[in-house]
Amino acid sequence: MKTIILLLLTYLCSYQAAAQYDDVKQLMIQGATLHDSGKYDDAIAKYDEALAIDPRNMELQYEKSFSLYAAKRFDEARKLCEKMIDNFKGIAGMENVYCNLGSIYDDTGDPKKAIKTYNKGIDYFPGFSLLYFNRGLTQMKIKEYDDALVSLKKSATLRTSHLSTNYWLAELVVNDNKYAGLLAYLTYLVFDRQTERAAGIWKTTNKILEAGVTRTGANSTTINISMDMLNKKKKPEDDFSSLELMVPLMTASKSDSALKSITKDEAGALSFQMQLVFGLLKNSENKKGFFWTHYAPIFDEMKEKGHVETFARLLKADLEKDSGAKSWLETHPDELVAFQTWLEGYK
């Protein structure tokens, strides 16, 4: 009899625990849905209901802190994040809490404390790219540009496909090293060609590709090359002088009538130009520095795998609404699938 009662009690406890788990799960889903709809206070109320059932649930506490942050209830969000760090220090999943807390400090006017928070998070989670990215943004905000560059390079190393990392790396260097910036911009466009930011990047990219080339007539072009660049003796890191010399020549050749007969259309001409530029990346003898070692191999591999034309057509179709490029993509589904499959290796 005692055995039967014990088994019954065990079953009832297990049933109750399972029911509570289901309740918590449903409340969390409801909270996330409300958060995604911008109803942050309602989401917080759902998380509080769930926390009343399971007060030690780390994921619930993080989701609540994130909604508090989104609702600009910064003091409540900060206190919850600090409490979580005291209770769950170093546990997987806490990397997001350090990101959240750092962002709160940054947004409330304490960037130095934000950087310290990101650094503490990095101590526990050195492989989490967003901690470096967020630290880089804060460092840019207080004009610590060299440190920001270090942070963003680490973020890019850990996650090549992170759009904002590629964007801000390009923005940091493009004025001093336009071809280093070009590679970061192009990497962004490999992953996104649909947003307003992508459209702006495409305009900048074209300006870089056209730099040094002046159309002086229907059949005449002037190419300007800096003598300072030609006189360089010692090559610094991320020196792209080979592109400085050759890209203007390649750009100017796009208007050549003989070349037009080969490339057929503007997307074909862009593909031809990119093939030549990416070939220079492979054949350069001075591959030193982050932009050479991190970004150049992406486009070297793109060329080697035969995906450059697909990329060029996607750029023209998505960013310029080029009908010829769209038609080419529609009639070359295998090439498009191959490009997308290749891209998965960089996500």
Side-chain angles (χ1 to χ4, degrees):
M1 184 67 179
K2 288 181 179 179
T3 302
I4 293 172
I5 292 172
L6 182 60
L7 288 171
L8 182 60
L9 287 172
T10 301
Y11 171 77
L12 289 172
C13 287
S14 298
Y15 177 81
Q16 184 179 24
Q20 287 180 337
Y21 172 81
D22 288 340
D23 289 343
V24 168
K25 185 177 178 181
Q26 287 304 312
L27 286 166
M28 187 183 296
I29 291 171
Q30 292 169 22
T33 301
L34 288 165
H35 178 102
D36 291 342
S37 300
K39 299 177 180 178
Y40 304 123
D41 290 330
D42 292 337
I44 292 163
K46 290 295 180 183
Y47 295 137
D48 281 338
E49 283 186 56
L51 285 166
I53 301 169
D54 188 2
R56 290 280 299 174
N57 189 306
M58 189 182 80
E59 185 179 0
L60 268 175
Q61 290 182 49
Y62 167 72
E63 294 295 346
K64 179 182 175 180
S65 76
F66 190 50
S67 290
L68 286 167
Y69 171 65
K72 301 189 184 303
R73 292 162 61 175
F74 295 128
D75 192 53
E76 295 172 79
R78 175 186 56 78
K79 288 177 180 177
L80 180 52
C81 288
E82 289 173 344
K83 180 181 176 182
M84 290 185 70
I85 287 171
D86 287 340
N87 292 335
F88 305 112
K89 192 174 295 182
I91 295 176
M94 284 296 293
E95 57 268 42
N96 291 307
V97 177
Y98 282 100
C99 281
N100 200 6
L101 182 57
S103 296
I104 292 165
Y105 286 134
D106 193 6
D107 287 354
T108 54
D110 198 344
K112 292 292 186 182
K113 199 162 187 178
I115 291 170
K116 287 181 181 178
T117 300
Y118 296 134
N119 287 340
K120 287 179 183 177
I122 288 167
D123 287 341
Y124 285 106
F125 306 101
F128 191 61
S129 64
L130 282 181
L131 285 165
Y132 299 96
F133 171 71
N134 284 8
R135 186 178 73 181
L137 289 188
T138 302
Q139 288 163 332
M140 282 194 295
K141 183 181 289 188
I142 57 176
K143 299 184 176 9
E144 294 180 353
Y145 297 120
D146 290 342
D147 291 337
L149 193 58
V150 171
S151 295
L152 293 174
K153 285 178 179 178
K154 183 63 176 180
S155 175
T157 300
L158 291 168
R159 189 179 170 195
T160 300
S161 64
H162 189 242
L163 296 175
S164 290
T165 295
N166 292 313
Y167 173 75
W168 286 113
L169 271 172
E171 290 287 294
L172 275 174
V173 304
V174 71
N175 288 335
D176 297 318
N177 191 338
K178 63 176 176 287
Y179 288 107
L182 174 68
L183 293 183
Y185 281 139
L186 284 173
T187 301
Y188 181 104
L189 293 172
V190 166
F191 297 101
D192 170 40
R193 296 170 301 280
Q194 309 300 326
T195 63
E196 186 175 339
R197 176 180 279 183
I201 289 172
W202 182 233
K203 289 179 181 178
T204 303
T205 297
N206 278 296
K207 287 180 181 178
I208 295 171
L209 291 172
E210 293 283 342
V213 178
T214 305
R215 313 292 179 186
T216 54
N219 297 304
S220 59
T221 303
T222 300
I223 299 172
N224 301 299
I225 297 174
S226 168
M227 293 304 296
D228 291 338
M229 183 268 298
L230 292 173
N231 290 333
K232 284 182 180 178
K233 292 182 180 179
K234 186 178 180 181
K235 303 293 186 183
E237 284 196 349
D238 287 316
D239 175 75
F240 288 93
S241 56
S242 58
L243 272 69
E244 292 270 5
L245 283 166
M246 296 303 298
V247 170
L249 296 172
M250 296 171 185
T251 300
S253 71
K254 284 170 65 178
S255 61
D256 183 84
S257 58
L259 181 59
K260 284 183 177 180
S261 67
I262 298 171
T263 58
K264 304 298 183 185
D265 55 21
E266 287 190 11
L270 176 64
S271 172
F272 184 81
Q273 183 185 25
M274 285 184 166
Q275 297 274 1
L276 295 174
V277 172
F278 299 163
L280 288 175
L281 295 176
K282 181 179 180 64
N283 296 322
S284 175
E285 296 178 356
N286 191 48
K287 299 180 182 179
K288 295 189 302 180
F290 173 81
F291 288 85
W292 269 114
T293 57
H294 178 73
Y295 284 116
I298 296 172
F299 299 101
D300 178 18
E301 184 177 312
M302 183 189 288
K303 184 175 186 297
E304 182 182 328
K305 300 290 186 181
H307 300 312
V308 176
E309 182 165 14
T310 304
F311 181 45
R313 301 277 176 180
L314 284 167
L315 289 170
K316 284 288 187 178
D318 293 341
L319 293 161
E320 297 183 12
K321 309 305 178 188
D322 184 294
S323 58
K326 288 182 180 179
S327 296
W328 188 93
L329 292 167
E330 289 169 359
T331 56
H332 292 76
D334 292 344
E335 285 85 343
L336 187 57
V337 169
F339 176 81
Q340 292 168 340
T341 301
W342 168 76
L343 198 58
E344 287 297 318
Y346 283 100
K347 290 187 176 180

